[in-house]
Amino acid sequence: MEIFRMIDIVGILGLPYPKHNEQSYNIHCPCCDDPKDPRNKHLNINLRKNVFCCPKCGLGGGMFDMYAYFANVPRKDVYKELCWKMGKNQGQSGEPRKSVPTVPPVAEEIESPLMDIESRHATYTALLSKLSLAKDHRDNLRGRGLLDEEIDRLGYKTTPVAGMSMMAKQLRSDGYYLAGVPGFYRKENGDWTFINESRGILIPVRDQRGMIQGLQIRRDNTEKRKFRWVSSTDRKDGCKAEGWAHLSGTISDQMILTEGPMKADVIHALTGISVIAVPGVNTLTQLKVMLEALRDEGVVRIRTAFDMDFTTNYPVQNGFKNLLSLLDGMGFKFGTYVWDPRYKGLDDYIWESMMNKTRGGAGD
């Protein structure tokens, strides 16, 4: 039997090649993506497994199925036509085989491509509506200065400890996508479920339109890696989180930039000022995407407000320099907030100052 590769089919069809020898990459889906929006790329091509799939509309199959669809030829005629096009039949003249990139062998890809933001937002919103917030977690958030109505509006919940498969089944029956939504994956028996994480507070991470891009967890009873992403990477049909930036509040011409979505939510609740948050000062890729959108919406000035230990923490200092370089290169005016170093974060400082005024103290 003749041997074909998915990369051969991609070349013959004239489809985009992967960048940097990627084994799994996304292109525009001809069935469900908006042809006017080049950012819509839901059709995943997996060169290692020789398959393609769009988790949004269901278009997919093997490499012969892909050729049949894009070349508009009957599936039964694909093999013969490919043999002719690639000059594989002995004794039969044909076009010389096309030169295609060499794809090095890697471990098998098992993850799903990331679903679009609208679908992720709908799925996460439905998931959070099925969860509750434990009393100790609500008390923790109150202690940061959040009122109950703000806590409920933000959508904070306690991580589920049981019933993940049942929730996933309910979400699917209600028509929500699970493939391509970080945190969801298939078990060995094929059933969908949600990642079983450490107990903590689930934090919705929202884009500039208020849509939930992903979820973070503030884990209980730990000091190391207290905040981490909800992700199902390396799980069957799972999906990794992308380290998204977060926006709390409405878009204005001047905004604060800090580290951590929960911190941003608290600062906004206490001051009314709109706040952008990065998951870490060294995580700037997704921040640039958000800043490009905000610049188009009229944002002109960014005031950074990172924890005061950035002045003595070398890795943070290095990331901070890269951040300032990014802001400068994008044309933003920028400055830096500083405060009493006894308070690590701007949220802590603001809340303590407010409490001092309430108690009749000096306050700043």
Side-chain angles (χ1 to χ4, degrees):
M1 180 177 178
E2 300 290 349
I3 302 299
F4 298 95
R5 301 178 302 164
M6 178 64 85
I7 194 68
D8 298 327
I9 311 302
V10 168
I12 292 174
L13 292 172
L15 299 176
Y17 280 129
K19 297 178 180 179
H20 311 300
N21 287 329
E22 295 173 322
Q23 293 285 309
S24 179
Y25 67 107
N26 286 15
I27 67 171
H28 179 86
C29 178
C31 289
C32 64
D33 282 339
D34 182 358
K36 297 180 181 179
D37 188 348
R39 297 172 299 178
N40 284 354
K41 295 181 179 180
H42 290 108
L43 187 66
N44 178 257
I45 299 177
N46 192 305
L47 302 177
R48 178 66 179 85
K49 296 194 290 185
N50 292 319
V51 296
F52 74 111
C53 177
C54 175
K56 187 174 182 181
C57 69
L59 177 67
M63 54 185 168
F64 285 7
D65 299 302
M66 188 169 83
Y67 184 85
Y69 181 85
F70 280 92
N72 194 27
V73 300
R75 175 66 168 73
K76 62 182 179 64
D77 296 336
V78 169
Y79 178 78
K80 182 178 180 181
E81 182 163 321
L82 286 175
C83 285
W84 178 78
K85 281 185 173 289
M86 299 180 68
K88 282 184 174 287
N89 283 0
Q90 291 184 353
Q92 178 180 339
S93 61
E95 298 176 3
R97 177 170 176 155
K98 294 189 176 184
S99 175
V100 296
T102 299
V103 182
V106 297
E108 182 176 352
E109 298 276 350
I110 62 173
E111 297 177 9
S112 295
L114 186 69
M115 181 56 75
D116 62 89
I117 176 61
E118 290 79 10
S119 298
R120 297 200 313 273
H121 172 73
T123 299
Y124 283 135
T125 301
L127 170 68
L128 294 173
S129 71
K130 299 180 183 297
L131 303 177
S132 59
L133 184 65
K135 183 180 183 302
D136 62 318
H137 287 155
R138 185 174 289 273
D139 289 342
N140 179 284
L141 295 168
R142 288 169 176 164
R144 297 170 181 270
L146 294 177
L147 301 176
D148 283 334
E149 54 265 33
E150 292 168 335
I151 295 171
D152 296 336
R153 176 183 59 81
L154 290 168
Y156 290 169
K157 302 290 183 178
T158 296
T159 52
V161 295
M164 276 73 81
S165 295
M166 181 58 67
M167 283 190 297
K169 183 177 181 179
Q170 292 174 349
L171 290 170
R172 288 201 73 205
S173 66
D174 291 339
Y176 295 102
Y177 294 108
L178 303 187
V181 180
F184 291 95
Y185 68 97
R186 289 185 192 269
K187 298 189 294 185
E188 289 300 321
N189 64 3
D191 291 342
W192 282 97
T193 189
F194 188 70
I195 199 79
N196 189 359
E197 274 286 0
S198 303
R199 188 177 187 273
I201 302 174
L202 282 175
I203 308 165
V205 179
R206 302 177 185 272
D207 70 0
Q208 63 275 11
R209 297 172 295 172
M211 291 191 169
I212 303 175
Q213 307 174 86
L215 300 173
Q216 271 198 351
I217 301 175
R218 182 189 182 276
R219 299 189 296 165
D220 296 346
N221 304 319
T222 182
E223 293 302 323
K224 294 183 178 180
R225 293 194 65 199
K226 183 176 285 291
F227 292 88
R228 62 183 298 174
W229 288 100
V230 170
S231 179
S232 47
T233 186
D234 295 329
R235 305 292 185 99
K236 181 176 175 58
D237 290 326
C239 186
K240 67 178 180 180
E242 295 288 347
W244 295 284
H246 170 76
L247 191 146
S248 186
T250 57
I251 299 174
S252 60
D253 60 347
Q254 177 172 300
M255 305 183 75
I256 291 177
L257 174 61
T258 191
E259 180 179 357
M262 180 180 285
K263 191 183 299 291
D265 288 341
V266 173
I267 294 173
H268 173 65
L270 296 178
T271 66
I273 300 174
S274 296
V275 187
I276 309 164
V278 288
V281 72
N282 291 299
T283 311
L284 304 181
T285 301
Q286 292 297 325
L287 173 64
K288 183 178 180 181
V289 175
M290 176 175 282
L291 289 178
E292 288 172 346
L294 293 177
R295 184 177 58 188
D296 293 342
E297 293 290 332
V299 177
V300 296
R301 186 176 181 85
I302 304 291
R303 300 292 297 272
T304 63
F306 288 92
D307 289 354
M308 288 300 291
D309 62 359
F310 87 90
T311 59
T312 57
N313 188 319
Y314 176 75
V316 174
Q317 283 183 334
N318 190 52
F320 186 69
K321 291 178 182 178
N322 293 334
L323 169 63
L324 297 184
S325 178
L326 172 64
L327 295 176
D328 185 48
M330 296 185 70
F332 288 104
K333 299 177 181 178
F334 55 91
T336 300
Y337 280 118
V338 293
W339 54 90
D340 188 334
R342 290 179 298 170
Y343 305 100
K344 183 178 180 181
L346 181 58
D347 54 333
D348 302 322
Y349 173 70
I350 294 172
W351 179 234
E352 185 62 26
S353 297
M354 293 173 65
M355 293 300 292
N356 283 338
K357 290 179 180 179
T358 300
R359 292 191 294 260
D364 290 319

